[in-house]
Amino acid sequence: QAKGKGSKKSTVKFVIDCTAPVDDKVLDIASFEKYLNERIKVGDGKTGNLAQCGVVITRDATKITVASPQDLGFSKRQLKYLSKRYLKKQQLRDYLRVIAKSKNSYELKYYQITGGDDEADEE
């Protein structure tokens, strides 16, 4: 199940896919990663002890990956909460939503805005 075969403990990986907003240069993924680094709480509910608990946050061009030891019981829900808070802080919450793409990944997607055409069709 876990991809990290070299590690002695199994790890759980959570992915936040920010492809759409990053491609449109709406979201700065580096500052999002920094925000998560500062805000994620692990262990005894304190921020800033990611390294001691073995939680690793990595990013590539459009995705942020949070790898955590399985026995730590890291909450995927917390990532959704922090993602929403970050979007709110950047005033992007009205345009982007955080959707669970699979069991351990989230995706930032634009809201589907319909152009109100259906009223015109009825006439």
Side-chain angles (χ1 to χ4, degrees):
Q1 192 185 26
K3 289 183 180 79
K5 292 179 188 77
S7 61
K8 53 191 177 297
K9 292 190 184 123
S10 58
T11 56
V12 185
K13 283 186 180 164
F14 299 105
V15 178
I16 303 174
D17 185 355
C18 315
T19 308
V22 169
D23 287 348
D24 296 342
K25 296 182 175 50
V26 177
L27 185 112
D28 178 20
I29 199 158
S31 73
F32 186 27
E33 183 195 27
K34 182 172 177 280
Y35 179 87
L36 289 176
N37 259 315
E38 292 163 1
R39 299 293 199 297
I40 287 179
K41 294 179 178 179
V42 284
D44 50 1
K46 289 192 177 77
T47 58
N49 57 355
L50 292 180
Q52 295 93 303
C53 295
V55 178
V56 183
I57 301 179
T58 53
R59 73 179 152 92
D60 54 29
T62 58
K63 289 187 176 83
I64 292 180
T65 307
V66 181
S68 145
Q70 193 156 22
D71 55 357
L72 188 63
F74 186 83
S75 157
K76 178 185 171 192
R77 183 83 201 172
Q78 185 183 187
L79 283 182
K80 182 170 190 175
Y81 168 74
L82 289 171
S83 302
K84 285 177 164 182
R85 266 189 59 179
Y86 178 77
L87 292 174
K88 183 75 176 167
K89 197 176 125 195
Q90 304 295 322
Q91 283 119 30
L92 296 170
R93 187 80 174 79
D94 298 336
Y95 311 106
L96 288 166
R97 56 194 297 207
V98 184
I99 301 175
K101 198 163 64 167
S102 72
K103 186 174 157 284
N104 52 4
S105 73
Y106 282 117
E107 184 177 20
L108 299 186
K109 268 192 160 174
Y110 289 107
Y111 284 109
Q112 294 298 313
I113 298 154
T114 52
D117 296 335
D118 38 31
E119 295 97 34
D121 293 341
E122 290 168 13
E123 291 172 25

